[in-house]
Amino acid sequence: MTEELFREDAMLATCEARIVAVDELGVELDRTVFYPVGGGQAGDAGRLVLSNGNGSAEGPTLAIADTRKHPDRPGVVVHVPAADADPVWRTAFVPGAAVTAHIDTTRRRAHMRFHTATHLLCALVPHAVNGCSITAGYARLDFHMSEPLDKEALSAGIARLVAEAHPVRHRWISEEELDANPGLVRSMSVQPPRGLGRVRVLEIEGVDLQPCGGTHVANTAEVGDVIVTKIEKKSAMTRRVVLGFAGAAGT
Ligand SMILES: [Zn+2]
């Protein structure tokens, strides 16, 4: 199991860790700040820096292009080396070695802003979501609905919720609590999964409440200038809403 530090503190950009294993997929650490692709959110990129023991200059560095959940080992996060990384890294990044893990904070910050914006969208469009993709360049949500959506009205709705500066926080809720609070379950825009013992719930105060394991900003004000760039009718019962940063290329 990898200790997932990003679940408790999405603001962490770096951590000390130890290499547990290395396989053909990449590097496993005992703990990490790297978010593995999941829940629609893209995985983190960044770098692992070998501790060289003298505490001064940075040791050898391995560029990480992506982060994934290990397909065969539940609970294990794999740091995927960049395709152009010098293969010699395998001689230095070995089990037992101490490293400092650094995420690409620009990329993660974009994920967090877009991810939080998708929750705002869920509050504005009260329909089930059947698809979600969050990258550093855009986010999109597929709503199960046939009614048309208005691009300008949704952008204005997001801008209003951003301006209102709602606090964003997560908490863990046990299944016993869920069972004892049917009203809480009813108020969630997405129904919580069962059988896990406890569920991580993301609350945007007064706006949205749903189970979510992703990374978010701490206040809707930090979402900033996110707008709806496109609305597509993907099928008779699917409306796709695409979000972008205002002023970015292509918007
Ligand atoms: Zn979320």
Side-chain angles (χ1 to χ4, degrees), residues 53-83:
N54 65 17
S56 55
E58 282 203 343
T61 295
L62 174 61
I64 299 299
D66 197 6
T67 311
R68 303 189 164 273
K69 293 174 180 168
H70 199 290
D72 306 321
R73 300 171 57 209
V76 168
V77 172
V78 179
H79 305 76
V80 182

Side-chain angles (χ1 to χ4, degrees), residues 41-44 107-115 134-136:
Q41 183 178 327
D44 279 321
R107 170 173 153 131
R108 162 66 85 72
R109 188 81 192 150
H111 294 169
M112 288 163 60
R113 290 174 61 194
F114 274 139
H115 191 138
I134 295 157
T135 73

Side-chain angles (χ1 to χ4, degrees), residues 5-250:
L5 302 175
F6 53 84
R7 301 263 189 229
E8 295 307 326
D9 186 357
M11 300 306 289
L12 280 178
T14 178
C15 74
E16 304 296 319
R18 201 162 283 280
I19 297 176
V20 173
V22 179
D23 64 15
E24 69 284 359
L25 300 174
V27 179
E28 175 191 342
L29 303 176
D30 60 349
R31 59 211 294 266
T32 192
V33 288
F34 281 67
Y35 180 86
V37 59
Q41 183 178 327
D44 279 321
R47 66 190 203 279
L48 303 180
V49 180
L50 213 56
S51 301
N52 58 12
N54 65 17
S56 55
E58 282 203 343
T61 295
L62 174 61
I64 299 299
D66 197 6
T67 311
R68 303 189 164 273
K69 293 174 180 168
H70 199 290
D72 306 321
R73 300 171 57 209
V76 168
V77 172
V78 179
H79 305 76
V80 182
D84 59 358
D86 186 336
V88 79
W89 71 264
R90 288 184 178 275
T91 63
F93 290 77
V94 294
V99 298
T100 305
H102 302 269
I103 59 168
D104 175 339
T105 52
T106 303
R107 170 173 153 131
R108 162 66 85 72
R109 188 81 192 150
H111 294 169
M112 288 163 60
R113 290 174 61 194
F114 274 139
H115 191 138
T116 308
T118 64
H119 284 262
L120 301 182
L121 208 48
C122 284
L124 296 168
V125 183
H127 292 273
V129 172
N130 54 20
C132 173
S133 181
I134 295 157
T135 73
Y138 68 87
R140 62 170 194 243
L141 272 184
D142 291 342
F143 290 97
H144 184 73
M145 62 188 294
S146 57
E147 301 87 335
L149 287 168
D150 186 289
K151 195 169 114 172
E152 307 308 325
L154 286 180
S155 286
I158 291 170
R160 174 178 57 81
L161 293 169
V162 169
E164 287 172 358
H166 298 269
V168 179
R169 60 177 73 93
H170 77 271
R171 65 178 192 268
W172 294 88
I173 299 184
S174 69
E175 292 198 355
E176 292 74 33
E177 283 173 81
L178 289 174
D179 292 339
N181 293 283
L184 176 65
V185 175
R186 261 198 307 278
S187 69
M188 292 188 194
S189 54
V190 175
Q191 288 310 294
R194 296 297 185 135
L196 301 173
R198 61 176 195 159
V199 177
R200 187 180 191 267
V201 172
L202 197 283
E203 178 176 28
I204 299 179
E205 206 174 281
V207 179
D208 185 54
L209 176 71
Q210 62 175 284
C212 185
T215 59
H216 312 82
V217 294
N219 188 291
T220 61
E222 297 174 44
V223 169
D225 285 333
V226 169
I227 56 169
V228 175
T229 57
K230 204 191 307 184
I231 292 174
E232 295 174 84
K233 181 177 176 179
K234 295 301 287 183
S235 73
M237 282 307 292
T238 304
R239 295 293 177 279
R240 170 168 291 178
V241 179
V242 184
L243 300 174
F245 292 124

